[in-house]
Amino acid sequence: MSAGCMRWVLNHAVRAVCGVSLGYRIPASRFLNCSERSSIIAASWSRSPFSTAEEDTERTPAPKKRKQDSRADATISNVGHSIPHQHIQLISETGEELGTIHRVRVIRMMDEQGLKLVLLNAHKDPPVYQLMTGKQIYQEQLKLREKQKAKPATVQVKELTFSPGISPHDLTTKLKQVESWLEKKHHVRITLRSGRNDPAVNLDTTLEQMVQQMEVMVGFVSPPKVIRDGRSAMCIVRQPSAKEISQKGKKNTAATRPAASRSKSTGSSTPPVGTTDTAEGSKQQRSDGN
């Protein structure tokens, strides 16, 4: 009875795997082929994306990219004894290259010589460090601050648009706004735009005359010019440079000198009234005495 049950179970199992009918005696070779087929199916299923079985071979993780430490290039400070790298390329306080040294030896050199350690370049392998005194670190920090101050700041460009028929009050208000922007060292783009029904005028000349009405001196990044087929005029103004201010001062002094010389020449040609009167009075006194 038990043998019959085992045969029935075995037949159902083989039919489920190989897809054959009951009562058919399976040869051993066919059973082996079915087992190979089942192993192939199992192997393909394990490689499919739907399989949740864990792989026996561990995947080697990809090497992590080193993050570039931007603070090492932007600041100069003492690292101290907390050196993150095991081997470093060391430079002495006099600028001599000492080669690649273990950090334990570097710490011993710092303690014996009373020096400080500064990171110069963290992107090299091994990274570059230098031994410095406190005075050297202070001087390098001052140089770095001067370089950062020397960098040109980003200039902001403001825009202003009005028409040739603007009222004098509104024009004064607009020009004061331009002056306030120039005090903050901004550039101002001024556009003079005429309407469809406005008469054709020299917009560039009109715009230049409007700019000259400002109470402060200005310089031009772009002088007034006609754009959009003569329907608009545009200019970009800025604060005047020291050279432009000095040139304008020389022109003003040169213009005042001829006027002063002319006034002196006219004053010398006219005789003094007081001397002629006194001379005539003395002559009359002499004639009366005679």
Side-chain angles (χ1 to χ4, degrees), residues 47-261:
R47 289 192 298 268
S48 67
F50 301 101
S51 177
T52 57
E54 296 182 357
E55 296 181 359
D56 296 334
T57 59
E58 295 181 356
R59 295 182 180 179
T60 56
K64 295 182 180 180
K65 295 183 179 180
R66 293 182 179 179
K67 294 182 179 180
Q68 294 183 353
D69 190 5
S70 59
R71 294 178 296 177
D73 299 334
T75 59
I76 296 176
S77 59
N78 180 24
V79 176
H81 291 179
S82 58
I83 305 173
H85 309 91
Q86 188 174 6
H87 293 85
I88 64 173
Q89 185 177 354
L90 189 62
I91 301 174
S92 66
E93 71 276 10
T94 58
E96 181 183 358
E97 293 186 1
L98 303 178
T100 304
I101 303 176
H102 197 275
R103 60 184 174 186
V104 176
R105 187 181 171 190
V106 175
I107 293 173
R108 189 182 303 115
M109 294 172 61
M110 292 168 56
D111 295 337
E112 291 176 355
Q113 301 178 14
L115 298 174
K116 302 179 185 299
L117 190 65
V118 176
L119 177 62
L120 297 183
N121 192 347
H123 308 323
K124 287 189 176 182
D125 190 18
V128 182
Y129 287 80
Q130 184 176 2
L131 294 172
M132 290 186 181
T133 60
K135 185 177 180 180
Q136 288 177 336
I137 293 176
Y138 178 70
Q139 291 176 353
E140 293 294 331
Q141 287 175 351
L142 290 179
K143 291 179 183 179
L144 185 61
R145 290 174 186 174
E146 290 177 358
K147 288 181 181 180
Q148 290 177 352
K149 289 180 181 179
K151 290 181 180 179
T154 55
V155 179
Q156 189 175 0
V157 180
K158 301 289 186 178
E159 293 187 5
L160 196 66
T161 305
F162 47 85
S163 62
I166 186 172
S167 63
H169 176 73
D170 294 342
L171 179 60
T172 304
T173 304
K174 298 278 188 181
L175 295 179
K176 286 183 179 179
Q177 181 65 44
V178 174
E179 293 175 3
S180 65
W181 284 336
L182 293 176
E183 289 178 359
K184 298 177 182 178
K185 297 183 180 181
H186 297 325
H187 291 180
V188 184
R189 177 175 179 174
I190 305 175
T191 304
L192 185 64
R193 185 179 301 169
S194 62
R196 296 181 180 178
N197 299 326
D198 294 338
V201 295
N202 296 327
L203 295 179
D204 53 347
T205 307
T206 306
L207 180 59
E208 186 175 2
Q209 292 175 355
M210 290 180 176
V211 172
Q212 290 177 356
Q213 295 181 16
M214 287 194 292
E215 299 178 356
V216 296
M217 181 182 174
V218 298
F220 288 100
V221 177
S222 176
K225 60 181 179 180
V226 178
I227 58 175
R228 294 181 182 177
D229 299 333
R231 303 303 301 174
S232 301
M234 183 272 298
C235 70
I236 301 176
V237 295
R238 55 168 173 78
Q239 276 190 342
S241 61
K243 185 177 180 181
E244 292 174 345
I245 295 174
S246 62
Q247 288 179 354
K248 186 174 181 180
K250 290 179 181 178
K251 289 181 181 179
N252 293 336
T253 53
T256 54
R257 284 177 183 175
S261 61

